[in-house]
Amino acid sequence: MPCPDAAPPPDKVRRVRYPYFDTPAPLGLAHRGFSREGLENTMTAFRAAAGLGFGYLETDVRTTRDGVLLAFHDAALDRVAGTGGPVNSLSMREVLRARVGGSESIPTFEDVLTGLPGIRLNVDIKDAAGSAELARLLNKHGAHDRVLVTSFSDRRRLAALRRLARPAASSAGAVFTALTVLLAPAGLAGVLARLGRYQCLQVPERQGPVRVVTQKFISRCHRAGLQVHVWTVNDPADMERLLDLGVDGLVSDRADLLAGVLARRGSWPQRHP
């Protein structure tokens, strides 16, 4: 007879509590959408990834001076738009004049959320103001089941989770990820996940000289009910090797190549229950 205090199987944890993970693994996540022309985090890039069959998109959010949450990665507009300066010093009206790659406007996160209603979003919170605004928008649209709340900052991530009207899935930030990597061999991954309110780890395969993603690491995470997603994987041979190890998701700039790899494995297109 099973021990009443035993943790439920990982599939049960994902399905009952966090519908975000209901799509059978492995998940393909299109990093900032898909654009070979550098039109990252634009509606054109997001729609291109969805057109390839992706049910999951990765994006980032930053807040303008007047509190509008943008789907945007950098602290400043300059790299992708050529000019503009820091996002947090600009009003939304000023941002609307900018063009990614000279042609595409910068969408608000609400644009993405409402414009792609069948898509699930991996959202990386890039500034402190974004925590409250992301929570407000998820509450407004009842989109809790569609979003994985992430951030390198556990403080920002947890600040968003605390403001939600009902739970949303989350991936550990830098501190809890490091603690899990260090303490998973001691069987503490599940304890940390409960303390840090996360159901997923999103990690590079290597961090400097340290190989993070190993068979043992994946197995320990799975025993704790945690998914393991690896970023940013752009080579098909690496995709195949990591999937063979048992990772639950891959984040890639080359959504076209990842779609092909998953199709050959019979996991494409992605369809949510």
Side-chain angles (χ1 to χ4, degrees), residues 19 138-139 141-146 161 163-169 197:
L138 297 187
N139 290 336
H141 293 284
H144 308 80
D145 293 344
R146 290 180 52 204
L161 295 178
R163 289 174 167 85
L164 294 177
R166 58 187 179 87
R197 298 178 63 177

Side-chain angles (χ1 to χ4, degrees), residues 26 238-247 250 261-262 265:
D238 291 334
M239 296 173 189
E240 297 278 10
R241 178 173 50 78
L242 290 164
L243 292 170
D244 287 342
L245 275 180
V247 303
L250 294 174
V261 168
L262 292 174
R265 289 172 168 260

Side-chain angles (χ1 to χ4, degrees), residues 187-196 198 224:
L188 296 177
V191 174
L192 290 167
R194 288 190 292 275
L195 287 173
Y198 55 91

